[in-house]
C-alpha cells in the first residue's frame, strides 16, 4: 500500500523502512532504465529533427541511436553519469516516499483524505516530489551534463565535473533548469501517485482478487500505466529542463549537431517553437514513455515489495 492506510495499521512501516524501501526502489530502477535515459537526453538536446531524411540529424530513432552510441562511445556510454544518477535516485526515492507517507497521514488526521482520495494523492504526490527535487536537483544537473557529453569528454569524473562547473559557471549552475523542473514535477508526480491508486482500483474491478498472489504483477502494470499517463501530459517541461541544464555547456555538444543558447524559460519556448515547431516540444517522447513506463512501474513494484518484506521480517521477529 502506497500512502497512509488507517485500516492497515498492523502493516504500517517505520519511517526508516519507508526511506530504505524508497531508496532501494530508486537504486534498482535507475540501474535498469539508464540506457533509455541516456538516449532520451540525447534526443531532447538535439536541435535537428529526429528524422532520417534530415542529413544533419545525428540521431533519428531509438535503435539507430543505440547502435551509434555503442559504436562511437562503447557500452559504458549507456551508463554515463550513472554515479550521480544513482545518488539522485537513492536520495530522491527516500525523500519522496517518506514525505508522501507523512503527508497522506496528515490529511487523514485532518479528515480530508477519505472523501478526496484522488486529489489527496495528487497533492501529496506533487508536494513530496517537489521536496525531493529541491533536495537533489544539483545532482540531477551533474547527471545531465555527464550523460550529454560526447567524446572527447569534458568531465572525466564526478569530482572534476563539480570542480569545473563551480569554477567556470559559479554555484548557481547546480540549479539550472530548476524552474521548469519544479513546475513539471508537481503535476507529473501528482499524476503518478493518483493514477497509480486509480488504476489499482480499476484492476481489482476488472480482475477481482481470487486469493491468488497477483499483487506484484498488479503493482507493476498499474505503475507502468501511471508513468505513461503522467509523462505524456507533462513532457514538454521535461525537455525544457534538459535544455536549460546544459546551458553554458554548448562546446561539449558541438559534435552532436547544432547548439543553442537560451536566456531563460520563455526564450527557450520561443526558440523551440520558431525553429522546431510544436513537434519540437515532444522530441524524445518515445524513449521517454518507454522509460517512464518501466521506471514508474519498477518504482512502485520495488517499493511495495520491500515494504511487504520489512513487514514480514518484523512479524517473524515477534
Amino acid at each position: 500500500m502506497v500512502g497512509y492506510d488507517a485500516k492497515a495499521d498492523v502493516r504500517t512501516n517505520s519511517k526508516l523502512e519507508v526511506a530504505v524501501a524508497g531508496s532501494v526502489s530508486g537504486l534498482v530502477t535507475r540501474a535498469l532504465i539508464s540506457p533509455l535515459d541516456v538516449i532520451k537526453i540525447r534526443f531532447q538536446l538535439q536541435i535537428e529533427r529526429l528524422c532520417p531524411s534530415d542529413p544533419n540529424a545525428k540521431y533519428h530513432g531509438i535503435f539507430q541511436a543505440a547502435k551509434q552510441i555503442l559504436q562511437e562511445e562503447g557500452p559504458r556510454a549507456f551508463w554515463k553519469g550513472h554515479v550521480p544518477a544513482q545518488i539522485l535516485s537513492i536520495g530522491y526515492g527516500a525523500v519522496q516516499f517518506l514525505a508522501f507517507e507523512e503527508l497522506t497521514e496528515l490529511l487523514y488526521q485532518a479528515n480530508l483524505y477519505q472523501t478526496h482520495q484522488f486529489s489527496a494523492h495528487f497533492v501529496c504526490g506533487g508536494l513530496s516530489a517537489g521536496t525531493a527535487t529541491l533536495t537533489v536537483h544539483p545532482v540531477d544537473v551533474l547527471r545531465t551534463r555527464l550523460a550529454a557529453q560526447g567524446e572527447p569528454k569534458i568531465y572525466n569524473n564526478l569530482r572534476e565535473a563539480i570542480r569545473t562547473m563551480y569554477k567556470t559557471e559559479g554555484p548557481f549552475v547546480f540549479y539550472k533548469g530548476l524552474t521548469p523542473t519544479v513546475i513539471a514535477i508537481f503535476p507529473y508526480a501528482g499524476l503518478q501517485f493518483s493514477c497509480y491508486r486509480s488504476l489499482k482500483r480499476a484492476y481489482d474491478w476488472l480482475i477481482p482478487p481470487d486469493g491468488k498472489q497477483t499483487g506484484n504483477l498488479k503493482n507493476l502494470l498499474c505503475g507502468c500505466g501511471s508513468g505513461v499517463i503522467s509523462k505524456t501530459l507533462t513532457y514538454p517541461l521535461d525537455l525544457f529542463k534538459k535544455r536549460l541544464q546544459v546551458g553554458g555547456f554548448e562546446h561539449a555538444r558541438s559534435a552532436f549537431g547544432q547548439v543553442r543558447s537560451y536566456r531563460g524559460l520563455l526564450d527557450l519556448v520561443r526558440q523551440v517553437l520558431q525553429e522546431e515547431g510544436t513537434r519540437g516540444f515532444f522530441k524524445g517522447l518515445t524513449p521517454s514513455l518507454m522509460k517512464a513506463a518501466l521506471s514508474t512501474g519498477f518504482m512502485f513494484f520495488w517499493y511495495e515489495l520491500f515494504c511487504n518484506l520489512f513487514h514480514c521480517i518484523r512479524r517473524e521477529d515477534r
Side-chain angles (χ1 to χ4, degrees), residues 222-282:
C222 294
C224 289
S226 68
V228 169
I229 294 170
S230 54
K231 178 57 72 176
T232 302
L233 294 175
T234 61
Y235 183 76
L237 286 166
D238 187 40
L239 182 139
F240 301 156
K241 177 186 76 170
K242 295 303 180 194
R243 295 273 180 109
L244 290 173
Q245 284 180 337
V246 295
F249 191 56
E250 292 81 7
H251 59 290
R253 298 206 39 79
S254 58
F256 293 100
Q258 299 180 53
V259 293
R260 292 288 183 273
S261 297
Y262 306 109
R263 293 190 298 274
L265 179 58
L266 294 179
D267 181 51
L268 188 159
V269 174
R270 181 184 61 79
Q271 287 197 45
V272 171
L273 192 59
Q274 286 181 347
E275 298 182 9
E276 305 168 57
T278 53
R279 294 182 65 178
F281 295 132
F282 293 91

Side-chain angles (χ1 to χ4, degrees), residues 27-99:
L27 186 150
V28 176
T29 299
R30 173 63 61 182
L32 293 173
I33 56 91
S34 181
L36 279 173
D37 199 32
V38 170
I39 293 173
K40 181 206 75 168
I41 290 173
R42 298 288 178 92
F43 281 11
Q44 288 177 325
L45 300 180
Q46 180 169 295
I47 303 299
E48 295 82 2
R49 290 187 304 156
L50 296 169
C51 179
S53 61
D54 188 340
N56 296 317
K58 186 175 181 68
Y59 306 120
H60 52 74
I62 295 176
F63 294 110
Q64 176 270 336
K67 182 180 178 181
Q68 190 153 347
I69 292 171
L70 187 63
Q71 289 177 342
E72 295 179 352
E73 304 170 54
R76 295 181 63 181
F78 293 110
W79 281 269
K80 273 187 175 179
H82 191 58
V83 172
Q86 281 293 16
I87 297 171
L88 169 70
S89 298
I90 292 168
Y92 188 94
V95 175
Q96 181 183 35
F97 279 106
L98 184 57

Side-chain angles (χ1 to χ4, degrees), residues 1-317:
M1 175 76 181
V2 177
Y4 179 73
D5 185 4
K7 297 177 182 178
D9 273 340
V10 293
R11 213 213 99 187
T12 300
N13 296 101
S14 68
K15 292 179 174 61
L16 177 60
E17 289 170 345
V18 167
V20 171
S23 296
V24 175
S25 170
L27 186 150
V28 176
T29 299
R30 173 63 61 182
L32 293 173
I33 56 91
S34 181
L36 279 173
D37 199 32
V38 170
I39 293 173
K40 181 206 75 168
I41 290 173
R42 298 288 178 92
F43 281 11
Q44 288 177 325
L45 300 180
Q46 180 169 295
I47 303 299
E48 295 82 2
R49 290 187 304 156
L50 296 169
C51 179
S53 61
D54 188 340
N56 296 317
K58 186 175 181 68
Y59 306 120
H60 52 74
I62 295 176
F63 294 110
Q64 176 270 336
K67 182 180 178 181
Q68 190 153 347
I69 292 171
L70 187 63
Q71 289 177 342
E72 295 179 352
E73 304 170 54
R76 295 181 63 181
F78 293 110
W79 281 269
K80 273 187 175 179
H82 191 58
V83 172
Q86 281 293 16
I87 297 171
L88 169 70
S89 298
I90 292 168
Y92 188 94
V95 175
Q96 181 183 35
F97 279 106
L98 184 57
F100 184 78
E101 299 287 343
E102 293 294 307
L103 287 169
T104 51
E105 182 176 359
L106 187 65
L107 283 184
Y108 183 87
Q109 292 172 349
N111 296 319
L112 297 172
Y113 183 78
Q114 292 295 341
T115 55
H116 305 89
Q117 289 191 17
F118 183 90
S119 55
H121 276 241
F122 180 84
V123 172
C124 292
L127 289 175
S128 63
T131 303
T133 296
L134 291 173
T135 305
V136 301
H137 188 75
V139 185
D140 191 24
V141 175
L142 286 165
R143 185 274 308 242
T144 298
R145 291 285 185 101
L146 291 170
Q149 66 178 346
E151 298 292 340
K153 294 179 180 179
I154 302 298
Y155 313 125
N156 292 312
N157 52 55
L158 180 60
R159 182 181 300 177
E160 182 181 340
I162 295 172
R163 185 173 63 248
T164 303
M165 289 168 63
Y166 183 84
K167 185 177 180 180
T168 59
E169 302 175 63
F172 291 110
V173 66
F174 299 108
Y175 285 92
K176 280 190 173 181
L178 181 62
T179 300
T181 301
V182 172
I183 293 172
I185 200 64
F186 188 95
Y188 175 62
L191 287 167
Q192 273 186 325
F193 281 90
S194 53
C195 288
Y196 177 65
R197 184 179 182 86
S198 297
L199 288 172
K200 286 183 73 173
R201 289 189 166 187
Y203 185 99
D204 288 337
W205 180 75
L206 291 170
I207 309 174
D210 57 0
K212 296 180 180 178
Q213 296 296 320
T214 59
N216 289 335
L217 177 62
K218 177 175 69 174
N219 296 340
L220 181 61
L221 293 177
C222 294
C224 289
S226 68
V228 169
I229 294 170
S230 54
K231 178 57 72 176
T232 302
L233 294 175
T234 61
Y235 183 76
L237 286 166
D238 187 40
L239 182 139
F240 301 156
K241 177 186 76 170
K242 295 303 180 194
R243 295 273 180 109
L244 290 173
Q245 284 180 337
V246 295
F249 191 56
E250 292 81 7
H251 59 290
R253 298 206 39 79
S254 58
F256 293 100
Q258 299 180 53
V259 293
R260 292 288 183 273
S261 297
Y262 306 109
R263 293 190 298 274
L265 179 58
L266 294 179
D267 181 51
L268 188 159
V269 174
R270 181 184 61 79
Q271 287 197 45
V272 171
L273 192 59
Q274 286 181 347
E275 298 182 9
E276 305 168 57
T278 53
R279 294 182 65 178
F281 295 132
F282 293 91
K283 276 184 176 176
L285 179 62
T286 300
S288 187
L289 287 181
M290 293 170 63
K291 178 209 164 188
L294 293 173
S295 62
T296 308
F298 282 135
M299 177 182 76
F300 286 118
F301 171 82
W302 291 113
Y303 176 74
E304 298 231 44
L305 184 69
F306 278 100
C307 282
N308 284 325
L309 178 62
F310 289 139
H311 172 66
C312 291
I313 292 172
R314 268 192 291 112
R315 188 171 59 185
E316 289 179 359
D317 288 341

